[in-house]
Amino acid sequence: MFRYDDLKNIQLKTSPDNSMTSSVPKVRLAGGLEICRVLNGMWQVSGAHGTVNKTKAVEAMQAYVDAGLTTFDMADIYGPAEEIYGLFNSQLKSSGSAPPALQGLTKYVPRPGPMELKVVEKALQRSMSRMKVDTLDCVQFHWWDYKDKRYLDALGHLSDLQQEGVI
């Protein structure tokens, strides 16, 4: 469990090259993925709060990474959030220096309807394309109406895709 005291223990340090390092607490999930205990939520760039300047949003992400906050939470329905993450991810990879490991947690929020494998695959491929990744670190699932049992089909396909290494 994360406690407020954990935040007080985060220490920012300047390394010899003037980059920032920190001691942000991490946690290892059941699948082995290590994430920060503090997530950077990307709902703010969904556009629901007004127009988003993608360039400024990408620039702002660097300060979080410099502080050791490398885990970003987004969703396929958060407007341009996955795309902004992808732009930042590409920028880091092309910077020439060894980029810090980012963790991109996204949500799959399908519209009610048939949940055939191709529907789920297409949605995940879209997220991967927008995030500019070859695999998804973590996919959270949101279903609107659990009386509609097709969510079980979607979960089955997600599990199969995880076994195939897509997630």
Side-chain angles (χ1 to χ4, degrees):
M1 165 160 350
F2 180 75
R3 299 179 321 269
Y4 174 73
D5 286 343
D6 291 331
L7 278 178
K8 293 190 290 187
N9 294 327
I10 294 173
Q11 297 176 8
L12 297 178
K13 301 173 188 165
T14 304
S15 49
D17 65 355
N18 285 331
S19 63
M20 296 296 287
T21 60
S22 74
S23 60
V24 175
K26 304 261 184 179
V27 64
R28 187 171 303 277
L29 302 180
L33 178 65
E34 188 173 76
I35 64 170
C36 294
R37 286 185 178 266
V38 178
L39 305 180
N40 296 300
M42 295 189 68
W43 167 252
Q44 293 84 350
V45 298
S46 69
H49 304 290
T51 304
V52 174
N53 180 318
K54 291 179 188 176
T55 303
K56 286 185 178 182
V58 168
E59 290 170 3
M61 291 174 77
Q62 187 63 53
Y64 291 106
V65 171
D66 289 345
L69 300 168
T70 59
T71 306
F72 294 87
D73 176 69
M74 64 208 91
D76 59 0
I77 62 168
Y78 288 4
E82 290 178 333
E83 184 182 345
I84 290 168
Y85 176 89
L87 292 168
F88 181 67
N89 192 21
S90 290
Q91 178 182 298
L92 277 182
K93 289 177 182 176
S94 67
S95 69
S97 60
L102 297 181
Q103 303 82 45
L105 287 57
T106 195
K107 295 172 197 72
Y108 172 45
V109 188
R111 293 174 188 238
M115 285 294 112
E116 298 163 355
L117 176 60
K118 65 181 180 181
V119 171
V120 177
E121 281 179 317
K122 183 178 179 182
L124 296 189
Q125 288 297 327
R126 180 175 182 233
S127 288
M128 289 165 47
S129 175
R130 293 162 104 190
M131 294 169 68
K132 301 197 185 311
V133 295
D134 297 324
T135 61
L136 294 166
D137 292 330
C138 179
V139 175
Q140 301 161 78
F141 179 71
H142 178 85
W143 189 254
W144 297 102
D145 179 8
Y146 286 95
K147 291 177 190 167
D148 179 349
K149 298 298 182 193
R150 292 179 288 189
Y151 77 91
L152 295 169
D153 296 329
L155 289 173
H157 298 314
L158 288 169
S159 179
D160 291 344
L161 292 166
Q162 181 185 28
Q163 294 302 314
E164 293 174 22
V166 174
I167 303 169

